[in-house]
Amino acid sequence: MSDVLICGAARTPFGRSERSGREHAIAAATAALADAGIPWSRVGAAFGGSDAAGLADTLVADLGLTGLPFVNVKNGCATGGSALVSAVNAIRGGMADVVLVVGFDKHPRGAFDPRPADWGLDDAYGRDGLMVTTQFFGMKIQRYAHDFGITPRTLALVAEKAYRNGSRTPEAWRRKEIGADEILASGMVNDPLTRFMFCSPGEGAAALVLCSSSVPTRDAVVLRSAVVRTRRRGSFEVFSPVLAAGEPTSVSRDAAAAAFEAAGLGPSDVDVVQLQDTESGAEVMHLAECGFCEDGEQEKLIASGVTEIGGTLPVNTDGGCIANGEPIGASGLRQVYEVVQQLRLRAGVRQVPGEPRIGFTHVYGAPGVSACTVLAR
């Protein structure tokens, strides 16, 4: 199977601004094309989407009316990852040899406000407060912490690292360092998660230019694999109101394992990692679910600095969702952008030492969907 290359990558600043979601998308797409050194007229197909900021295919009104196929993708937090999988398949299937992928969003202030009916749930599920995502995340990490000995201080250390890395990332939303003690004292939201342990809905865009190995490129990164998976029976996920008896399953475990198998690599080969960290507990659990440690080993790994930029397994070097916020359509592609920068040795003050060669990204979202990639130099 021929290689698929990432030859251009870009993002916009995340947070809040006067820009529309579409304006973010156009800026990211234009910058990614410039990074690749490829004009829009050379792009043979495009895939992209957002959760709340409009239709990606309408971007052609600003990028150029070339008549190319532009497919809208909407798959929750896996929107970017799903668009990326579509682009890979387009190249491998011969549809085009140069493909643009773009994800963008602009969310209003406050928590996400999903409707039970949109997720196949009875209205009573919402009336009982179970559509509040912070409650789900609190319940999930509380159970995990009980079973595997994860302490609140470890959750605070995850967030402390996120804000420290965010302070080194020019495009991040939260760029002020916050210490673990302040994070622990920031006010309980859903036990054991405090206010500063969560990310916030925001705005921004990220874009990638993919091409086949037959296209001349400069400073390209190989996309070894890109996969999307949905939950199997027995999983405990956002807006999944039943935890079935028997051996539990995990969509993140499934997606990560499939990505590594397709890449012909394993977790021990990875030099830099991006994990979904909607809140601190998510990063802790996803470390194990994606195969980077055993359940319960996170306490020691995090305390010893293994997941820091200078550690042996740097995680969320740009500050992750906690520092960047989460514009849903852009979040997964923001992760890939960061790993591309790390593998190109372009990450500046947050650059992982030792010339990393293999990177991994993971995104997770409702109602139990995960997208993972493996990248290489």
Side-chain angles (χ1 to χ4, degrees):
M1 189 176 293
S2 62
D3 285 337
V4 174
L5 308 178
I6 298 176
C7 54
R11 61 169 291 188
T12 67
F14 283 17
R16 301 217 182 275
S17 75
E18 297 302 314
R19 268 181 170 175
S20 68
R22 291 185 77 262
E23 287 172 333
H24 278 288
I26 293 161
T30 301
L33 290 165
D35 182 49
I38 292 176
W40 170 246
S41 59
R42 180 67 177 81
V43 177
F47 299 84
S50 75
D51 184 70
L55 300 174
D57 69 301
T58 66
L59 300 176
V60 298
D62 295 276
L63 294 172
L65 301 175
T66 63
L68 88 172
F70 199 136
V71 179
N72 290 306
V73 179
K74 186 170 183 178
N75 202 16
C77 293
T79 292
S82 298
L84 187 56
V85 169
S86 300
V88 170
N89 290 337
I91 291 174
R92 289 179 173 165
M95 179 182 183
D97 61 357
V98 178
V99 180
L100 174 75
V101 184
V102 60
F104 60 101
D105 251 310
K106 186 179 180 76
H107 301 293
R109 295 180 183 274
F112 293 121
D113 186 24
R115 299 185 307 165
D118 292 341
W119 303 88
L121 299 170
D122 187 87
D123 285 345
Y125 195 73
R127 288 197 301 269
D128 291 341
L130 296 175
M131 295 302 290
V132 179
T133 54
T134 59
Q135 181 162 294
F136 163 79
F137 291 125
M139 289 190 298
K140 189 168 185 178
I141 187 56
Q142 189 173 73
R143 175 178 175 169
Y144 190 88
H146 172 271
D147 290 347
F148 299 107
I150 305 299
T151 62
R153 176 152 289 273
T154 292
L155 300 178
L157 290 174
V158 169
E160 181 182 69
K161 170 178 66 68
Y163 293 118
R164 181 165 52 250
N165 291 353
S167 73
R168 303 178 180 184
T169 305
E171 302 89 356
W173 186 3
R174 312 298 189 192
R175 302 199 61 214
K176 177 184 176 182
E177 294 192 39
I178 305 176
D181 290 340
E182 184 178 353
I183 291 166
L184 285 168
S186 62
M188 191 64 67
V189 177
N190 287 95
D191 193 18
L193 299 170
T194 66
R195 177 186 174 194
F196 290 166
M197 293 178 185
F198 284 92
C199 77
S200 298
E203 66 182 67
L208 305 172
V209 178
L210 274 58
C211 64
S212 71
S213 56
S214 64
V215 176
T217 61
R218 57 190 191 194
D219 205 16
V221 169
V222 179
L223 183 59
R224 294 287 294 266
S225 66
V227 304
V228 176
R229 292 290 184 272
T230 57
R231 68 193 188 278
R232 292 185 289 121
R233 186 175 299 278
S235 62
F236 179 57
E237 313 292 354
V238 187
F239 310 150
S240 179
V242 176
L243 179 60
E247 185 69 22
T249 65
S250 162
V251 67
S252 293
R253 290 188 192 275
D254 291 347
F260 282 123
E261 181 179 6
L265 297 166
S268 62
D269 297 309
V270 174
D271 301 309
V272 58
V273 177
Q274 289 280 336
L275 299 177
Q276 180 81 351
D277 60 330
T278 317
E279 31 68 37
S280 296
E283 180 174 319
V284 170
M285 291 182 285
H286 292 146
L287 274 167
E289 290 184 346
C290 293
F292 295 103
C293 68
E294 296 297 323
D295 292 310
E297 290 184 349
Q298 299 97 322
E299 280 279 301
K300 181 178 179 181
L301 293 180
I302 292 167
S304 62
V306 166
T307 59
E308 299 283 351
I309 286 175
T312 56
L313 186 69
V315 176
N316 292 337
T317 50
D318 63 351
C321 287
I322 292 175
N324 285 275
E326 188 177 24
I328 285 179
S331 198
L333 297 182
R334 186 262 307 163
Q335 293 181 329
V336 177
Y337 165 84
E338 174 65 14
V339 170
V340 168
Q341 297 305 93
Q342 291 287 346
L343 298 184
R344 287 170 155 182
L345 308 181
R346 292 188 190 179
V349 294
R350 67 183 187 279
Q351 178 64 53
V352 169
E355 298 191 8
R357 306 295 296 177
I358 306 294
F360 174 86
T361 74
H362 156 271
V363 67
Y364 162 83
V369 60
S370 181
C372 296
T373 70
V374 178
L375 302 98
R377 285 290 277 178

